[in-house]
Amino acid sequence: MNQETAEAEPDHVRDLLGRAVDGIQVPMGRGSGTVFAKASRVRRRRRAAATGAVAAVVAAGLLLGPGVPALGHGASTESSPVGGGHATKASRFAKLLPPGTGRISEFSLARLMKYSQSVPVVRPRGAYGGDYAVTRPEGVGYISVHLATPAEIDTKADGGGLENPCKDAPKDGRVDCTTQKLSDGALLGVWETPATDSLLAPDPSGGREYDAVLRLADGRSLTVRASTGFQGRGRLGPLLVEPPLTRAQLTELIRNPVLLK
């Protein structure tokens, strides 16, 4: 067995375990069914979010090597982003974030999830739609912005229209899910998603994150995720200690009307 094969074997085993766990007959010991069911729901929701992001990735987004985001077009909220008409999307998005968030770079979540640079990508909807790596000294997380039309919304996985985003919480794994009806008739749902167990999660396992969805009266849906990152093959780097945005900061960001343009 060569070194490359040996390094890849743990990830291969983890992938097989993750894909097999949904078919396991759960033992009927006290509490075990609840743990497996909640883990399964979290995995399905993350998988649905990643699938939706395939249609919302940046055409120029690249992932360079095992966990190094494309920082060449990055911008930092700790310094002055590039200005004028030549500003990159990352630098423009950095201006919307609180000072000190970290270095912001575009990357492709779809390519990360598929472990391939050859995954077809299309330009996401909206001026800020896409995936952004957030690099700090301790690790790399990400923020994703996804604007969807009614036709693109997976009503089975994510609901549709003005359905309450928290109707299945906490059974579906969403923690402290709250819903607020805004003055324009939109529904705003905000919650926390715990980190997934690396042995139970398929593909890379997800870190802890804050999530928000804005369901608009016209049928569109805006989703913003602030995650500590991924573990496993395809990772961007070590997990951040905390999500790159607090719950309050995420709520403020998703209510910024420029994300709907």
Side-chain angles (χ1 to χ4, degrees), residues 20 27 30-31 40 47 55 74-75 84 95 101 173 177 239 249 251:
R30 185 173 61 182
S40 182
R47 195 179 304 145
K95 293 180 180 180
T101 298
C177 191
L239 295 178
Q249 290 169 340
T251 302

Side-chain angles (χ1 to χ4, degrees), residues 206-221:
R208 176 169 163 257
E209 63 185 50
Y210 291 120
D211 304 86
V213 61
L214 187 63
R215 293 184 172 165
L216 306 171
D218 62 10
R220 291 181 299 162
S221 178

Side-chain angles (χ1 to χ4, degrees), residues 63-101:
L63 189 70
L64 305 178
V68 182
L71 298 179
H73 298 289
S76 175
T77 59
E78 298 171 350
S79 60
S80 299
V82 178
H86 299 290
T88 65
K89 182 186 283 189
S91 65
R92 289 186 285 111
F93 184 67
K95 293 180 180 180
L96 306 181
L97 303 176
T101 298

Side-chain angles (χ1 to χ4, degrees), residues 108-183:
S108 170
L109 182 61
R111 288 177 172 175
L112 182 149
M113 297 298 291
K114 297 294 185 181
Y115 311 137
S116 173
Q117 294 280 8
S118 63
V119 173
V121 294
V122 295
R123 190 170 298 278
R125 293 187 182 277
Y128 296 94
D131 307 305
Y132 303 88
V134 181
T135 303
R136 294 177 178 175
E138 76 273 21
V140 185
Y142 72 88
I143 300 172
S144 284
V145 179
H146 182 205
L147 180 62
T149 66
E152 296 168 333
I153 297 172
D154 185 344
T155 56
K156 188 173 183 179
D158 300 322
L162 292 177
E163 184 178 43
N164 181 2
C166 298
K167 70 180 182 65
D168 294 324
K171 294 183 296 182
D172 63 356
R174 303 182 194 216
V175 177
D176 296 329
C177 191
T178 60
T179 303
Q180 178 184 1
K181 187 171 184 178
L182 305 183
S183 59

